[in-house]
Amino acid sequence: MTNTPVLFYHEGTCSLAPLISLIWLDRPFRLCRLENEEDFKNSDFLTLNPLGEVPLMYLDGTILTENVAILQHIGLTDFSRGITFKPGTPEFDQMNRALGFITSDFHKSFFPLFGVQSLHHDTKIQGEIKANMVHGPLRAMYEYVSDHLLHGDFIFDHPMIADAYLFATSRWGEHFFNIAKDFPKIKRFQTAMASDWAVKLALAIESGKQKDSIQNFLGHVEFISFVKEAVARKKEVDQANGVGAFAPGLKQESPEKESLLDEKQA
Ligand SMILES: N[C@@H](CCC(=O)N[C@@H](CS)C(=O)NCC(=O)O)C(=O)O
């Protein structure tokens, strides 16, 4: 079992965002690759994340899911990398605003498109639903990104965690739009991101071109054995905390919180 953070990922998905960010962070990490549908349905993986989704970050028995949480965790680990902002600043609020938009409105507006067969069995109607979604809500999201989210090449003034997330998800639009023609500002952003050294390395790892460890990437752990070990370690950590995964440490009230309660009761 490793104390090094391990990111569970799948090629072509939103887990590219934390992968890019981990490379920017320049601290050791490992990867665990999900290859297929079977891996997503693996019972041990579902114990770690009952939603059966990537990204999932294993932090020595603690499990973190949700891009927003994982990306801020990575960014806040080392401010000197400049990939997020300091909590409590107006810039940090704007970072969370960008992440919130990408994770909800933007990211999820693709899902009826990728899973259209679950909405109707008739392929003709599936085509109509798809066309309506692309030319309605999805186009509106791309217009919003072009007109309001991007400032110059990036969301802020250099590539940061929200840019990594937008890069990972906005690439899916290639299936539905001619991005260069329809949304030149987004194409400019994608091109600028694609020339970043960490993005290049992340894409090489995802595609399997870069298999061996390099820089702060220490290599892959094997899915079936690691996911089992991770479940066992998670159980130990949950037992030690005495609470569930969503509330680690909740029982240990902070001194300030206790004194506030005392004042209220007095
Ligand atoms: N709310 C989650 C959504 C994660 C998500 O939708 N992940 C997709 C990939 S982009 C997934 O793992 N889907 C399951 C599958 O592909 O079987 C987050 O923001 O991290």
Side-chain angles (χ1 to χ4, degrees):
M1 185 52 64
T2 173
N3 285 336
T4 315
V6 178
L7 176 71
F8 287 71
Y9 78 105
H10 179 64
E11 188 182 3
T13 70
C14 57
S15 56
L16 177 64
L19 175 51
I20 294 170
S21 305
L22 279 168
I23 298 170
W24 278 332
L25 187 67
D26 201 20
R27 293 217 175 162
F29 71 95
R30 291 180 199 276
L31 290 173
C32 189
R33 185 178 177 97
L34 280 78
E35 292 287 357
N36 48 40
E37 198 68 3
E38 211 180 303
D39 290 345
F40 279 93
K41 297 207 165 93
N42 175 288
S43 62
D44 289 321
F45 182 67
L46 288 172
T47 302
L48 299 182
N49 184 6
L51 291 172
E53 291 176 339
V54 291
L56 183 149
M57 185 100 142
Y58 171 87
L59 298 159
D60 193 17
T62 299
I63 305 302
L64 209 50
T65 58
E66 299 301 321
N67 263 293
V68 176
I70 297 173
L71 290 170
Q72 282 291 27
H73 171 88
I74 296 170
L76 292 171
T77 302
D78 184 357
F79 271 126
S80 72
R81 308 312 300 182
I83 58 172
T84 190
F85 297 108
K86 195 163 181 257
T89 60
E91 291 83 2
F92 183 73
D93 294 340
Q94 293 305 316
M95 175 61 81
N96 283 338
R97 180 178 172 220
L99 291 172
F101 163 75
I102 299 167
T103 203
S104 55
D105 298 301
F106 193 76
H107 187 164
K108 288 297 165 181
S109 60
F110 289 96
F111 280 79
L113 294 164
F114 291 143
V116 74
Q117 58 286 355
S118 66
L119 298 181
H120 209 286
H121 60 272
D122 186 322
T123 48
K124 188 166 168 279
I125 296 178
Q126 285 175 13
E128 283 169 17
I129 297 173
K130 238 175 155 171
N132 289 341
M133 292 300 303
V134 170
H135 298 299
L138 192 65
R139 178 171 289 278
M141 288 300 115
Y142 273 73
E143 283 168 358
Y144 179 85
V145 168
S146 274
D147 298 344
H148 302 286
L149 192 66
L150 291 171
H151 301 99
D153 281 356
F154 306 109
I155 299 174
F156 299 96
D157 64 353
H158 66 275
M160 300 181 85
I161 53 173
D163 300 274
Y165 196 4
L166 183 64
F167 180 73
T169 47
S170 68
R171 298 189 314 151
W172 303 333
E174 297 290 356
H175 295 287
F176 312 109
F177 303 118
N178 178 339
I179 297 192
K181 182 167 156 286
D182 298 344
F183 306 104
K185 283 190 193 161
I186 299 183
K187 189 69 196 174
R188 203 173 114 190
F189 158 78
Q190 291 176 331
T191 308
M193 284 296 286
S195 69
D196 182 280
W197 65 276
V199 175
K200 282 187 191 162
L201 178 54
L203 290 172
I205 292 171
E206 260 209 342
S207 68
K209 281 191 195 121
Q210 177 67 47
K211 284 197 171 63
D212 300 331
S213 60
I214 179 170
Q215 295 172 14
N216 59 329
F217 165 49
L218 301 189
H220 282 88
V221 292
E222 197 273 321
F223 177 75
I224 295 289
S225 57
F226 185 75
V227 82
K228 256 190 205 331
E229 286 177 45
V231 167
R233 179 74 185 117
K234 177 185 181 307
K235 272 190 193 139
E236 283 171 17
V237 169
D238 286 352
Q239 266 164 16
N241 284 335
V243 286
F246 271 101
L250 196 71
K251 275 188 170 169
Q252 299 150 22
E253 293 283 348
S254 70
E256 303 100 89
K257 211 170 172 187
E258 274 168 12
S259 64
L260 274 178
L261 282 175
D262 290 347
E263 272 170 34
K264 267 196 181 159
Q265 280 159 7

